[in-house]
Amino acid sequence: MFDLIIRNANLPDGRQGFDIGLFGRRITAIEKRLDAVCGEEIDATGRLVSPPFCDPHFHMDATLSLGMPRMNVSGTLLEGIALWGELRPLLTKEALVERALRYCDLAVSQGLLYIRSHVDTSDPRLVTAEALIEVRERVAPYIQLQLVAFPQDGYYRAEGGVASLNRALDMGIDIVGGIPHFERTMEEGRLSLEALCRIAAERGLPVDIHCDETDDPMSRHIETLAAETIRHGLQGRVAGSHLTSMHSMDNYYVSKLIPLIAEAQINVIPNPLINIMLQGRHDTYPKRRGMTRVRELMAAGLNVSFGQDCTMDPWYSMGSADMLEVGHMAIHVAQMGGLDDKRQIFDALTVNSAKTMGLEGYGLEIGCKADLIVLQAADVFEALRLKPSRLFVVKGGKVISRTAPRIGELFLEGRPAEIDSGRDYVPVY
Ligand SMILES: [Zn+2]
Protein backbone atom coordinates (compact mmCIF):
# COMPACT_ATOMS: atom_id res chain seq x y z
CA MET A 1 0.00 0.00 0.00
CA PHE A 2 1.29 3.41 -0.96
CA ASP A 3 0.21 7.04 -0.56
CA LEU A 4 2.23 8.21 -3.54
CA ILE A 5 4.20 6.47 -6.30
CA ILE A 6 6.80 8.23 -8.44
CA ARG A 7 6.95 6.28 -11.73
CA ASN A 8 9.90 5.58 -13.97
CA ALA A 9 12.42 7.87 -12.29
CA ASN A 10 16.12 8.30 -12.95
CA LEU A 11 18.16 8.13 -9.74
CA PRO A 12 21.21 10.23 -8.77
CA ASP A 13 23.52 7.19 -9.03
CA GLY A 14 22.63 6.77 -12.73
CA ARG A 15 20.07 3.97 -12.48
CA GLN A 16 17.08 4.62 -14.73
CA GLY A 17 13.40 3.73 -14.84
CA PHE A 18 12.68 3.05 -11.16
CA ASP A 19 9.37 3.37 -9.34
CA ILE A 20 9.53 4.88 -5.85
CA GLY A 21 6.73 4.05 -3.40
CA LEU A 22 6.00 6.29 -0.42
CA PHE A 23 3.88 5.32 2.55
CA GLY A 24 3.32 7.49 5.58
CA ARG A 25 6.42 9.57 5.99
CA ARG A 26 8.87 7.01 4.60
CA ILE A 27 10.13 5.60 1.32
CA THR A 28 8.89 2.01 1.38
CA ALA A 29 9.81 0.69 -2.09
CA ILE A 30 12.24 1.37 -4.92
CA GLU A 31 11.73 -1.15 -7.72
CA LYS A 32 11.97 -1.44 -11.49
CA ARG A 33 8.20 -1.89 -11.86
CA LEU A 34 6.11 -1.47 -8.76
CA ASP A 35 3.02 -3.65 -9.20
CA ALA A 36 0.55 -1.61 -7.19
CA VAL A 37 -2.16 0.93 -7.68
CA CYS A 38 -2.14 4.17 -5.82
CA GLY A 39 -4.45 7.16 -5.59
CA GLU A 40 -1.67 9.56 -6.44
CA GLU A 41 1.09 8.98 -8.96
CA ILE A 42 3.74 11.19 -10.56
CA ASP A 43 5.13 10.32 -13.98
CA ALA A 44 8.87 11.01 -13.76
CA THR A 45 9.84 9.39 -17.06
CA GLY A 46 13.25 10.71 -18.09
CA ARG A 47 13.42 12.93 -15.02
CA LEU A 48 15.94 12.90 -12.19
CA VAL A 49 14.56 12.22 -8.73
CA SER A 50 16.88 13.27 -5.91
CA PRO A 51 16.74 13.79 -2.17
CA PRO A 52 16.05 17.49 -1.46
CA PHE A 53 18.89 19.98 -1.50
CA CYS A 54 20.58 21.06 1.73
CA ASP A 55 22.26 24.39 2.40
CA PRO A 56 24.73 23.99 5.28
CA HIS A 57 25.76 27.67 5.37
CA PHE A 58 23.34 30.56 5.15
CA HIS A 59 22.48 33.88 6.85
CA MET A 60 18.71 34.01 7.19
CA ASP A 61 18.74 37.08 9.44
CA ALA A 62 20.28 39.15 6.62
CA THR A 63 18.55 37.64 3.61
CA LEU A 64 16.37 39.79 1.34
CA SER A 65 17.67 42.97 3.01
CA LEU A 66 19.51 44.22 -0.08
CA GLY A 67 19.62 48.02 -0.19
CA MET A 68 18.75 48.44 3.51
CA PRO A 69 19.86 51.02 4.47
CA ARG A 70 22.13 51.39 1.41
CA MET A 71 24.08 49.32 -1.12
CA ASN A 72 27.60 47.91 -0.61
CA VAL A 73 29.65 50.21 -2.86
CA SER A 74 33.08 48.56 -2.68
CA GLY A 75 31.61 45.06 -2.79
CA THR A 76 34.01 43.87 -0.10
CA LEU A 77 33.41 41.55 2.84
CA LEU A 78 34.47 44.31 5.23
CA GLU A 79 32.06 46.93 3.83
CA GLY A 80 29.36 44.27 3.99
CA ILE A 81 30.07 43.72 7.70
CA ALA A 82 30.04 47.52 8.28
CA LEU A 83 26.78 47.86 6.34
CA TRP A 84 25.16 45.05 8.32
CA GLY A 85 26.30 46.91 11.47
CA GLU A 86 24.33 49.96 10.25
CA LEU A 87 21.22 47.91 9.59
CA ARG A 88 21.35 45.83 12.78
CA PRO A 89 20.05 48.44 15.26
CA LEU A 90 17.07 49.02 12.96
CA LEU A 91 16.03 45.36 12.85
CA THR A 92 12.74 44.30 14.36
CA LYS A 93 11.63 40.79 15.15
CA GLU A 94 8.54 41.13 12.94
CA ALA A 95 10.53 42.25 9.89
CA LEU A 96 13.12 39.51 10.42
CA VAL A 97 10.44 36.83 10.65
CA GLU A 98 8.64 38.14 7.59
CA ARG A 99 11.78 38.16 5.42
CA ALA A 100 12.88 34.72 6.63
CA LEU A 101 9.47 33.21 5.91
CA ARG A 102 9.50 34.70 2.42
CA TYR A 103 12.95 33.25 1.83
CA CYS A 104 11.76 29.83 3.04
CA ASP A 105 8.88 29.94 0.53
CA LEU A 106 11.42 30.49 -2.22
CA ALA A 107 13.63 27.70 -0.84
CA VAL A 108 10.75 25.20 -0.88
CA SER A 109 10.00 25.99 -4.53
CA GLN A 110 13.69 25.26 -5.28
CA GLY A 111 13.60 21.91 -3.47
CA LEU A 112 15.79 23.23 -0.64
CA LEU A 113 14.38 21.69 2.53
CA TYR A 114 17.34 21.63 4.95
CA ILE A 115 19.09 24.86 5.91
CA ARG A 116 21.75 25.71 8.48
CA SER A 117 21.66 29.45 9.17
CA HIS A 118 24.07 31.54 11.17
CA VAL A 119 22.38 34.02 13.49
CA ASP A 120 24.28 37.17 14.40
CA THR A 121 24.54 37.46 18.18
CA SER A 122 26.47 40.78 18.22
CA ASP A 123 23.46 42.96 19.10
CA PRO A 124 22.72 42.23 22.79
CA ARG A 125 18.99 42.68 22.09
CA LEU A 126 19.23 39.31 20.30
CA VAL A 127 16.14 40.03 18.19
CA THR A 128 17.85 37.99 15.46
CA ALA A 129 17.93 34.89 17.67
CA GLU A 130 14.38 35.44 18.90
CA ALA A 131 13.10 35.85 15.36
CA LEU A 132 14.87 32.86 13.87
CA ILE A 133 13.92 30.57 16.75
CA GLU A 134 10.31 31.47 15.95
CA VAL A 135 10.93 30.87 12.24
CA ARG A 136 12.57 27.49 13.00
CA GLU A 137 9.32 26.44 14.65
CA ARG A 138 6.99 27.88 12.04
CA VAL A 139 8.77 26.29 9.05
CA ALA A 140 9.38 22.94 10.79
CA PRO A 141 6.57 21.19 8.83
CA TYR A 142 8.46 21.83 5.59
CA ILE A 143 12.02 23.01 6.29
CA GLN A 144 14.44 21.70 8.88
CA LEU A 145 16.30 24.79 10.04
CA GLN A 146 19.45 24.60 12.18
CA LEU A 147 20.73 27.76 13.85
CA VAL A 148 24.32 28.75 14.64
CA ALA A 149 25.14 31.40 17.26
CA PHE A 150 27.44 33.62 15.22
CA PRO A 151 29.37 36.53 16.80
CA GLN A 152 29.65 38.54 13.57
CA ASP A 153 31.62 41.40 15.18
CA GLY A 154 33.93 39.03 17.06
CA TYR A 155 33.52 36.90 20.17
CA TYR A 156 36.14 38.98 22.01
CA ARG A 157 36.25 42.04 19.72
CA ALA A 158 32.62 43.09 20.19
CA GLU A 159 31.59 44.55 23.50
CA GLY A 160 29.46 41.97 25.28
CA GLY A 161 30.18 39.37 22.57
CA VAL A 162 30.92 36.56 25.02
CA ALA A 163 27.75 37.07 27.06
CA SER A 164 25.51 37.46 23.99
CA LEU A 165 26.70 34.26 22.36
CA ASN A 166 26.17 32.29 25.53
CA ARG A 167 22.73 33.81 26.03
CA ALA A 168 21.74 32.86 22.48
CA LEU A 169 22.76 29.25 23.23
CA ASP A 170 20.68 29.37 26.43
CA MET A 171 17.72 30.49 24.31
CA GLY A 172 17.98 27.30 22.25
CA ILE A 173 20.31 28.05 19.35
CA ASP A 174 21.65 24.68 18.15
CA ILE A 175 25.31 25.24 17.20
CA VAL A 176 28.36 27.23 18.37
CA GLY A 177 29.80 29.67 15.81
CA GLY A 178 32.82 31.96 15.64
CA ILE A 179 34.89 34.25 13.43
CA PRO A 180 38.54 34.02 14.57
CA HIS A 181 40.04 35.96 11.62
CA PHE A 182 37.92 38.99 12.60
CA GLU A 183 39.12 39.13 16.20
CA ARG A 184 41.63 41.91 16.94
CA THR A 185 44.72 39.74 16.81
CA MET A 186 45.72 36.27 15.63
CA GLU A 187 46.18 35.42 19.31
CA GLU A 188 42.64 36.48 20.20
CA GLY A 189 41.40 34.48 17.23
CA ARG A 190 43.16 31.42 18.61
CA LEU A 191 41.80 32.04 22.10
CA SER A 192 38.28 32.43 20.72
CA LEU A 193 38.51 28.98 19.12
CA GLU A 194 39.74 27.47 22.38
CA ALA A 195 36.81 29.02 24.23
CA LEU A 196 34.19 28.14 21.62
CA CYS A 197 35.26 24.49 21.31
CA ARG A 198 35.23 24.19 25.11
CA ILE A 199 31.69 25.62 25.23
CA ALA A 200 30.58 23.14 22.55
CA ALA A 201 32.13 20.20 24.42
CA GLU A 202 30.53 21.26 27.71
CA ARG A 203 27.09 21.83 26.18
CA GLY A 204 27.26 18.83 23.84
CA LEU A 205 26.74 20.99 20.76
CA PRO A 206 28.25 20.96 17.26
CA VAL A 207 30.58 23.75 16.09
CA ASP A 208 30.50 25.73 12.83
CA ILE A 209 33.16 28.40 12.43
CA HIS A 210 33.56 31.11 9.80
CA CYS A 211 37.22 30.20 9.54
CA ASP A 212 39.90 32.15 7.68
CA GLU A 213 37.54 33.93 5.29
CA THR A 214 40.42 36.03 4.01
CA ASP A 215 43.11 36.06 1.31
CA ASP A 216 45.81 36.29 4.00
CA PRO A 217 47.89 33.11 3.61
CA MET A 218 49.02 33.47 7.22
CA SER A 219 45.47 33.20 8.54
CA ARG A 220 45.87 29.70 9.99
CA HIS A 221 42.98 29.39 12.42
CA ILE A 222 41.90 26.16 10.73
CA GLU A 223 45.01 24.61 12.27
CA THR A 224 43.84 25.61 15.76
CA LEU A 225 40.27 24.53 14.99
CA ALA A 226 41.50 21.05 14.01
CA ALA A 227 43.70 20.77 17.10
CA GLU A 228 40.93 21.93 19.47
CA THR A 229 38.47 19.55 17.80
CA ILE A 230 40.77 16.63 18.53
CA ARG A 231 41.55 17.84 22.07
CA HIS A 232 37.84 17.96 22.98
CA GLY A 233 36.90 14.76 21.12
CA LEU A 234 34.58 16.67 18.78
CA GLN A 235 35.63 14.79 15.62
CA GLY A 236 32.88 14.82 12.96
CA ARG A 237 30.85 17.47 14.81
CA VAL A 238 32.85 20.50 13.73
CA ALA A 239 32.52 22.44 10.48
CA GLY A 240 35.08 24.81 8.99
CA SER A 241 33.21 27.27 6.79
CA HIS A 242 34.98 29.13 3.97
CA LEU A 243 38.69 28.28 4.63
CA THR A 244 39.52 30.71 1.82
CA SER A 245 43.00 31.52 3.12
CA MET A 246 43.94 27.97 2.07
CA HIS A 247 43.68 29.18 -1.53
CA SER A 248 46.65 31.49 -0.93
CA MET A 249 48.70 29.35 1.46
CA ASP A 250 52.10 27.92 0.81
CA ASN A 251 51.81 24.46 -0.75
CA TYR A 252 54.23 22.84 1.66
CA TYR A 253 52.24 24.06 4.65
CA VAL A 254 49.00 22.80 3.07
CA SER A 255 50.57 19.35 2.68
CA LYS A 256 50.81 19.26 6.48
CA LEU A 257 47.47 20.96 7.08
CA ILE A 258 45.11 18.79 5.04
CA PRO A 259 45.99 15.55 6.91
CA LEU A 260 45.45 17.45 10.18
CA ILE A 261 41.97 18.56 9.01
CA ALA A 262 41.28 14.95 8.01
CA GLU A 263 42.43 13.66 11.42
CA ALA A 264 39.95 16.04 13.07
CA GLN A 265 37.22 14.98 10.60
CA ILE A 266 36.30 18.60 10.05
CA ASN A 267 33.32 19.09 7.71
CA VAL A 268 34.47 21.59 5.10
CA ILE A 269 31.97 24.14 3.79
CA PRO A 270 33.16 26.30 0.90
CA ASN A 271 30.72 28.93 -0.35
CA PRO A 272 31.56 29.24 -4.07
CA LEU A 273 29.26 32.15 -4.98
CA ILE A 274 30.45 34.35 -2.15
CA ASN A 275 34.08 33.27 -2.23
CA ILE A 276 34.48 34.16 -5.91
CA MET A 277 32.63 37.44 -5.33
CA LEU A 278 34.37 38.66 -2.15
CA GLN A 279 37.90 37.24 -2.21
CA GLY A 280 40.78 38.68 -4.21
CA ARG A 281 39.37 42.18 -3.81
CA HIS A 282 42.71 43.65 -2.78
CA ASP A 283 44.51 42.07 -5.74
CA THR A 284 45.19 43.89 -8.97
CA TYR A 285 45.90 41.32 -11.71
CA PRO A 286 46.12 38.41 -11.66
CA LYS A 287 43.26 38.16 -9.16
CA ARG A 288 43.01 35.15 -6.88
CA ARG A 289 39.83 33.07 -6.98
CA GLY A 290 39.77 32.70 -3.20
CA MET A 291 37.81 29.45 -2.94
CA THR A 292 39.46 26.79 -0.79
CA ARG A 293 41.15 23.70 -2.29
CA VAL A 294 38.04 21.67 -3.00
CA ARG A 295 39.56 18.95 -5.18
CA GLU A 296 42.45 18.30 -2.79
CA LEU A 297 40.21 18.24 0.29
CA MET A 298 37.84 15.81 -1.38
CA ALA A 299 40.77 13.63 -2.49
CA ALA A 300 41.92 13.50 1.14
CA GLY A 301 38.56 11.93 2.04
CA LEU A 302 37.13 15.00 3.75
CA ASN A 303 33.41 15.62 3.77
CA VAL A 304 32.98 18.72 1.60
CA SER A 305 29.56 20.36 1.26
CA PHE A 306 28.73 23.66 -0.40
CA GLY A 307 26.82 26.53 1.14
CA GLN A 308 24.97 29.37 -0.48
CA ASP A 309 25.91 31.84 2.31
CA CYS A 310 23.92 34.84 1.05
CA THR A 311 20.93 35.84 -1.05
CA MET A 312 20.17 39.54 -1.60
CA ASP A 313 21.96 40.96 1.44
CA PRO A 314 24.84 43.36 2.31
CA TRP A 315 27.40 40.91 0.94
CA TYR A 316 25.72 39.57 -2.20
CA SER A 317 23.16 41.15 -4.48
CA MET A 318 22.40 37.87 -6.28
CA GLY A 319 21.16 34.44 -5.20
CA SER A 320 17.90 32.56 -5.63
CA ALA A 321 17.87 29.75 -3.04
CA ASP A 322 19.07 27.48 -5.85
CA MET A 323 21.75 25.06 -4.69
CA LEU A 324 22.36 24.04 -8.31
CA GLU A 325 23.52 27.59 -8.94
CA VAL A 326 26.03 27.03 -6.13
CA GLY A 327 27.16 23.73 -7.69
CA HIS A 328 27.37 25.34 -11.13
CA MET A 329 29.70 28.01 -9.75
CA ALA A 330 31.76 25.40 -7.85
CA ILE A 331 32.37 23.48 -11.08
CA HIS A 332 33.81 26.60 -12.68
CA VAL A 333 35.82 27.99 -9.78
CA ALA A 334 37.29 24.61 -8.77
CA GLN A 335 37.69 23.63 -12.45
CA MET A 336 35.89 20.35 -11.80
CA GLY A 337 34.19 19.68 -15.13
CA GLY A 338 34.78 15.90 -15.45
CA LEU A 339 32.02 13.36 -14.91
CA ASP A 340 33.43 12.10 -11.60
CA ASP A 341 33.98 15.71 -10.54
CA LYS A 342 30.35 16.58 -11.21
CA ARG A 343 29.11 13.54 -9.33
CA GLN A 344 31.10 14.74 -6.33
CA ILE A 345 29.77 18.28 -6.74
CA PHE A 346 26.17 17.00 -6.76
CA ASP A 347 26.91 14.95 -3.62
CA ALA A 348 28.29 18.14 -2.02
CA LEU A 349 24.82 19.70 -2.46
CA THR A 350 22.94 16.69 -1.10
CA VAL A 351 24.38 13.71 0.81
CA ASN A 352 27.57 15.43 1.99
CA SER A 353 25.60 18.37 3.37
CA ALA A 354 23.23 15.98 5.09
CA LYS A 355 26.26 14.44 6.79
CA THR A 356 27.59 17.88 7.79
CA MET A 357 24.20 18.73 9.26
CA GLY A 358 23.80 15.32 10.92
CA LEU A 359 20.42 14.73 9.29
CA GLU A 360 18.51 11.57 10.22
CA GLY A 361 16.76 9.49 7.54
CA TYR A 362 18.07 11.56 4.62
CA GLY A 363 18.51 9.86 1.25
CA LEU A 364 16.84 7.99 -1.53
CA GLU A 365 16.66 4.51 -0.05
CA ILE A 366 14.03 2.31 1.51
CA GLY A 367 13.43 3.47 5.08
CA CYS A 368 14.55 7.04 4.41
CA LYS A 369 12.16 9.94 4.90
CA ALA A 370 9.62 10.46 2.12
CA ASP A 371 11.28 13.72 1.10
CA LEU A 372 12.37 14.05 -2.53
CA ILE A 373 12.36 16.28 -5.57
CA VAL A 374 11.64 15.66 -9.27
CA LEU A 375 13.77 17.78 -11.60
CA GLN A 376 13.31 18.72 -15.25
CA ALA A 377 16.61 17.03 -16.15
CA ALA A 378 17.66 13.49 -16.96
CA ASP A 379 20.59 13.10 -14.55
CA VAL A 380 22.85 14.89 -12.09
CA PHE A 381 25.11 16.22 -14.85
CA GLU A 382 22.19 17.79 -16.69
CA ALA A 383 20.78 19.14 -13.43
CA LEU A 384 24.06 20.96 -12.77
CA ARG A 385 24.21 22.23 -16.36
CA LEU A 386 20.61 23.41 -16.66
CA LYS A 387 19.60 24.40 -13.11
CA PRO A 388 16.17 23.15 -14.17
CA SER A 389 12.67 23.54 -12.72
CA ARG A 390 11.82 21.51 -9.64
CA LEU A 391 8.71 19.90 -11.10
CA PHE A 392 7.64 18.40 -7.77
CA VAL A 393 8.89 18.87 -4.22
CA VAL A 394 7.70 16.14 -1.87
CA LYS A 395 7.95 16.42 1.92
CA GLY A 396 6.63 13.77 4.32
CA GLY A 397 5.03 11.94 1.38
CA LYS A 398 3.05 14.99 0.23
CA VAL A 399 3.61 17.34 -2.71
CA ILE A 400 4.35 20.75 -1.17
CA SER A 401 5.45 22.58 -4.31
CA ARG A 402 5.01 22.17 -8.03
CA THR A 403 6.57 24.10 -10.91
CA ALA A 404 5.53 23.70 -14.53
CA PRO A 405 8.29 22.44 -16.83
CA ARG A 406 10.12 25.14 -18.71
CA ILE A 407 9.02 24.57 -22.31
CA GLY A 408 9.99 26.99 -25.05
CA GLU A 409 7.66 27.38 -28.00
CA LEU A 410 9.32 27.78 -31.39
CA PHE A 411 7.75 29.36 -34.46
CA LEU A 412 10.27 28.25 -37.04
CA GLU A 413 9.43 26.55 -40.31
CA GLY A 414 10.75 23.02 -40.48
CA ARG A 415 11.85 22.97 -36.84
CA PRO A 416 10.11 21.46 -33.76
CA ALA A 417 7.23 23.41 -32.25
CA GLU A 418 8.61 23.26 -28.74
CA ILE A 419 11.75 22.59 -26.79
CA ASP A 420 11.97 20.94 -23.35
CA SER A 421 15.57 21.64 -22.38
CA GLY A 422 15.50 18.81 -19.85
CA ARG A 423 14.50 16.20 -22.41
CA ASP A 424 15.36 17.31 -25.91
CA TYR A 425 19.08 17.05 -25.57
CA VAL A 426 20.33 14.18 -23.46
CA PRO A 427 24.02 13.68 -24.05
CA VAL A 428 25.65 10.29 -24.51
CA TYR A 429 28.59 9.99 -22.11
ZN1 LIG B 1 28.69 33.11 6.27
Side-chain angles (χ1 to χ4, degrees):
M1 199 167 88
F2 301 101
D3 296 325
L4 175 63
I5 295 177
I6 320 279
R7 294 282 185 196
N8 214 16
N10 294 348
L11 305 181
D13 61 11
R15 286 178 293 161
Q16 298 192 338
F18 276 77
D19 292 348
I20 304 166
L22 312 180
F23 180 67
R25 303 180 74 80
R26 295 279 159 182
I27 296 172
T28 50
I30 302 180
E31 287 173 26
K32 219 31 186 169
R33 196 160 291 105
L34 204 52
D35 193 14
V37 281
C38 177
E40 199 180 349
E41 300 200 352
I42 291 172
D43 178 12
T45 303
R47 307 299 198 192
L48 172 67
V49 174
S50 162
F53 294 112
C54 313
D55 182 355
H57 188 116
F58 193 64
H59 294 263
M60 207 177 278
D61 49 4
T63 196
L64 307 185
S65 70
L66 183 69
M68 296 162 58
R70 61 181 177 84
M71 296 292 283
N72 182 338
V73 179
S74 67
T76 60
L77 171 67
L78 295 180
E79 184 175 343
I81 293 175
L83 182 48
W84 174 241
E86 289 171 36
L87 173 57
R88 203 166 38 207
L90 312 175
L91 294 173
T92 64
K93 184 180 168 189
E94 292 68 31
L96 282 159
V97 169
E98 198 269 329
R99 281 196 278 110
L101 289 177
R102 262 196 297 141
Y103 177 79
C104 288
D105 294 341
L106 178 63
V108 167
S109 73
Q110 298 278 33
L112 170 57
L113 302 187
Y114 302 93
I115 301 174
R116 174 181 285 185
S117 174
H118 294 256
V119 183
D120 184 7
T121 57
S122 304
D123 180 345
R125 295 182 303 148
L126 287 177
V127 280
T128 46
E130 257 182 57
L132 287 191
I133 285 170
E134 181 181 322
V135 170
R136 182 177 65 188
E137 223 162 278
R138 285 175 67 174
V139 302
Y142 50 93
I143 285 180
Q144 189 174 329
L145 180 57
Q146 296 180 348
L147 301 176
V148 186
F150 173 50
Q152 171 79 73
D153 291 356
Y155 182 64
Y156 288 131
R157 186 170 172 177
E159 201 184 327
V162 172
S164 279
L165 180 131
N166 280 286
R167 209 145 44 80
L169 295 174
D170 290 341
M171 287 165 69
I173 299 282
D174 312 286
I175 298 162
V176 181
I179 185 165
H181 56 276
F182 195 72
E183 302 293 347
R184 284 199 180 84
T185 62
M186 285 287 177
E187 177 62 3
E188 287 194 353
R190 186 183 69 75
L191 291 171
S192 76
L193 289 177
E194 280 186 16
L196 293 164
C197 287
R198 191 179 328 110
I199 289 170
E202 283 168 7
R203 291 181 181 253
L205 297 177
V207 176
D208 192 330
I209 302 291
H210 279 68
C211 198
D212 303 324
E213 187 184 4
T214 159
D215 293 315
D216 174 6
M218 296 311 289
S219 189
R220 295 178 169 187
H221 295 295
I222 178 58
E223 181 186 83
T224 305
L225 182 62
E228 289 301 301
T229 298
I230 294 165
R231 194 153 73 90
H232 288 288
L234 293 169
Q235 289 93 328
R237 289 164 48 200
V238 174
S241 284
H242 292 296
L243 307 185
T244 55
S245 70
M246 285 183 71
H247 185 95
S248 300
M249 279 175 184
D250 173 69
N251 289 331
Y252 183 83
Y253 174 68
V254 171
S255 74
K256 177 214 165 190
L257 180 62
I258 290 182
L260 178 64
I261 300 173
E263 184 189 351
Q265 296 165 41
I266 303 270
N267 294 296
V268 177
I269 310 177
N271 295 286
L273 297 171
I274 305 309
N275 298 155
I276 197 70
M277 183 61 104
L278 296 182
Q279 299 305 308
R281 287 275 176 159
H282 293 71
D283 294 355
T284 53
Y285 289 94
K287 274 183 195 292
R288 283 168 286 181
R289 290 164 185 243
M291 190 164 77
T292 195
R293 305 188 186 204
V294 171
R295 187 189 290 283
E296 292 74 13
L297 288 160
M298 284 178 167
L302 279 147
N303 185 48
V304 177
S305 50
F306 294 121
Q308 190 187 195
D309 206 1
C310 301
T311 287
M312 307 280 283
D313 70 11
W315 296 273
Y316 192 56
S317 62
M318 310 276 286
S320 58
D322 185 353
M323 293 311 293
L324 287 171
E325 191 172 277
V326 176
H328 193 271
M329 181 60 78
I331 287 170
H332 290 85
V333 182
Q335 300 183 323
M336 291 180 66
L339 292 182
D340 284 344
D341 293 339
K342 287 185 192 160
R343 255 184 227 110
Q344 291 198 75
I345 297 277
F346 194 84
D347 283 351
L349 307 171
T350 52
V351 288
N352 295 6
S353 305
K355 189 175 172 199
T356 298
M357 294 175 69
L359 301 179
E360 300 282 342
Y362 178 91
L364 208 53
E365 294 183 28
I366 292 171
C368 288
K369 285 185 180 165
D371 302 348
L372 50 83
I373 56 178
V374 183
L375 295 116
Q376 189 189 356
D379 53 37
V380 296
F381 313 116
E382 287 296 281
L384 284 162
R385 183 173 75 90
L386 297 168
K387 294 164 277 167
S389 294
R390 281 59 163 171
L391 303 174
F392 297 91
V393 178
V394 176
K395 169 78 180 176
K398 296 199 164 41
V399 175
I400 60 166
S401 174
R402 197 171 62 186
T403 301
R406 198 160 60 209
I407 308 274
E409 285 185 82
L410 299 179
F411 310 103
L412 303 170
E413 213 165 308
R415 300 306 304 157
E418 59 180 38
I419 182 158
D420 174 343
S421 56
R423 236 198 264 277
D424 287 347
Y425 175 70
V426 177
V428 180
Y429 301 112

